[in-house]
Amino acid sequence: MISLTLDELARAVSGTLHLADGDTPETTVSGAVDTDSRLIEPGGVFVAKPGDTTDGHRFVDAAVERGAVLAIVEHVVDAAVSQVVVADAVAALADLAREVVARVRAGGGIRVVGITGSNGKTTTKNMLARILQDEGETVAPRASFNNEVGAPLTMLRVTHDTRFLVSEFGASAPGEIARLAGLVEPDIAVVLMVGLAHAGGFGGIDSTVEAKSELVRAMRPGGIAVLNADDARVAGMAPLAAEKSATVRWFGRGERADVRADEVEVTPDGTRSTVVVGGERHELRLKVLGEHHVMNALAAIATAMALGVSAADAIARLETLELAERWRMQPLGSDRVRIINDAYNASPDSMGAALRTLAQITRPGERMVAVLGAMSELGEFAGEEHDRIGELAVRLRIPRIVIIGRDARRMYLAAVGEGSWSDEAVFFETADEAYDYLMGELRDGDRVLVKSSNSAGLRFLGDRLGESFS
């Protein structure tokens, strides 16, 4: 975090300052901000956030032991550290992020990018960060830090030397993206796609469109909107960009796109495509698995070009990216039994894309195995969408379909109903049961996809299988 006096910080969060011995209102703090006492470093600021299962106020002493010099709290705690008392710790975190980014902006030089979409946010964020880091200091979220806590924590990592802030904005209800993006008013708003991910929280696809469009509405006047030309719902946000006097840059597979791809080929070693920009053709060889990641790469390239990076440089840097993110199409195991662990998030779109990737990378003589769990937050669409994925697995002629967990049982029943027979599709209540089955079932030449939402916990099963067959 940039340097602030205790008084400046208290004013920024509308809090009341309680000084510890030796501190004054002019004492400065500049350490990292965190809500996890275990991650506090010397000079850091600890935000005591109340939680569902515990209360951050219980860990103020632990944060002080690790070197915290300030705690943001909702009530005074008996601890030897200066404290700023606020009405709402999470709201204070957002207010502090707004203040810090505003001060860095006032110094000039920083450009802010906001990314949203039903799928692909984290991969695109990582791709763009990889491109931009060669241009100058780049701050981007760790993992999927895209909610009311993670997004401000990322923003607070900027310094006066930061050239690029890449923010990832997720949401499970209307208004969340507007609040988070409103903290920084991005110069560039990137909308990847609109699908059924989290549709249950939004109340339907139309509300999801409205929620994702909040990012375009929140960007700075005269900015740039980077939009998916192939997604009609995203393309429909162009008039909102016009209202902000913003330029639209299109990415996609079709001729309309400013940055487009053709000749896409998925192999066990990665994904190849030809990127077309302004009539020039560039070969792109991603080490990341999956045809769907080409669209993420196009979005990253289009955004980087809007920031002054050439297409050739952007592509060359993308080709060095080894992995999109842990648990996202992550290759594990060995050539003998390859495990693809993609069980951090799942929606109908990403589930279908992962299954199609499995089919594309499995060569003659090898066997496809799909290990699938529930897709969360689909609301009223959950039943039919789980049915659809079970049916798709059979239509792709996947000979072993392993379904895990009660919330995914309809996927198993749909696979059976679609024509899976002779134990091609099996169901297990727990991941441990599935692991025992798979250890006896998997054989040389198997290509195994492990895919589910985070809540299903199958990412740990994927890790376990990867270690067993490494």
Side-chain angles (χ1 to χ4, degrees), residues 51-338:
D52 295 331
T53 58
T54 189
D55 187 342
H57 294 80
R58 296 174 52 196
F59 301 98
V60 173
D61 278 331
V64 173
E65 289 178 4
R66 293 190 62 87
V69 296
L70 178 69
I72 297 176
V73 296
E74 293 183 1
H75 57 79
V76 174
V77 176
D78 185 12
V81 66
S82 290
Q83 300 170 44
V84 174
V85 181
V86 296
D88 185 316
V90 173
L93 184 66
D95 289 339
L96 183 57
R98 180 189 291 108
E99 177 72 12
V100 166
V101 174
R103 287 181 178 234
V104 173
R105 268 195 187 278
I110 191 172
R111 302 293 298 280
V112 180
V113 178
I115 300 173
T116 195
S118 298
N119 297 112
K121 295 183 294 296
T122 299
T123 297
T124 305
K125 170 263 297 184
N126 287 341
M127 288 179 167
L128 180 59
R130 172 60 196 92
I131 296 170
L132 296 179
Q133 69 184 27
D134 288 358
E135 299 292 316
E137 182 177 301
T138 300
V139 172
R142 303 183 185 97
S144 292
F145 271 33
N146 60 25
N147 62 9
E148 63 181 356
V149 173
L153 287 177
T154 297
M155 297 168 190
L156 286 166
R157 288 167 45 210
V158 302
T159 71
H160 290 294
D161 295 324
T162 302
R163 284 194 61 192
F164 305 104
L165 168 62
V166 181
S167 289
E168 175 184 342
F169 298 118
S172 56
E176 291 183 18
I177 292 174
R179 287 193 295 274
L180 294 174
L183 300 177
V184 293
E185 294 186 321
D187 300 288
I188 300 179
V190 184
V191 186
L192 300 172
M193 55 92 70
V194 175
L196 285 175
H198 311 298
F202 290 117
I205 194 68
D206 291 339
S207 296
T208 304
V209 174
E210 184 67 22
K212 300 304 180 187
S213 70
E214 290 171 8
L215 178 58
V216 179
R217 298 178 190 275
M219 71 177 173
R220 292 168 76 85
I224 299 173
V226 178
L227 303 179
N228 183 346
D230 299 348
D231 187 321
R233 298 185 180 101
V234 175
M237 298 177 191
L240 299 178
E243 291 176 9
K244 305 287 288 193
S245 301
T247 302
V248 175
R249 303 284 179 90
W250 299 102
F251 68 93
R253 300 283 295 274
E255 294 291 334
R256 177 186 186 183
D258 300 304
V259 179
R260 65 180 179 88
D262 58 20
E263 301 175 355
V264 178
E265 178 186 4
V266 181
T267 74
D269 300 317
T271 309
R272 189 198 67 80
S273 64
T274 299
V275 177
V276 184
V277 182
E280 296 185 356
R281 300 173 70 82
H282 307 264
E283 186 175 43
L284 170 63
R285 292 184 177 273
L286 290 173
K287 297 176 184 177
V288 182
L289 290 175
E291 183 175 352
H292 52 299
H293 288 311
V294 170
M295 288 294 285
N296 299 330
L298 295 177
I301 294 166
T303 305
M305 291 180 65
L307 292 167
V309 182
S310 71
D313 284 345
I315 288 168
R317 295 167 193 175
L318 279 180
E319 291 184 331
T320 69
L321 192 68
E322 296 286 342
L323 181 69
E325 184 74 55
R326 187 183 180 191
W327 298 318
R328 288 174 172 84
M329 299 303 288
Q330 181 180 6
L332 299 171
S334 63
D335 289 340
R336 186 169 68 87
V337 177
R338 175 63 66 197

Side-chain angles (χ1 to χ4, degrees), residues 355 358-360 362 366-370 393 396-401 445-449:
L355 287 170
L358 177 64
Q360 289 169 326
T362 304
E366 298 173 344
R367 183 177 67 156
M368 295 181 283
V369 180
L396 289 172
R397 299 186 178 181
I398 297 175
R400 278 291 178 270
I401 304 167
D446 282 351
R447 300 296 175 252
V448 185
L449 170 70

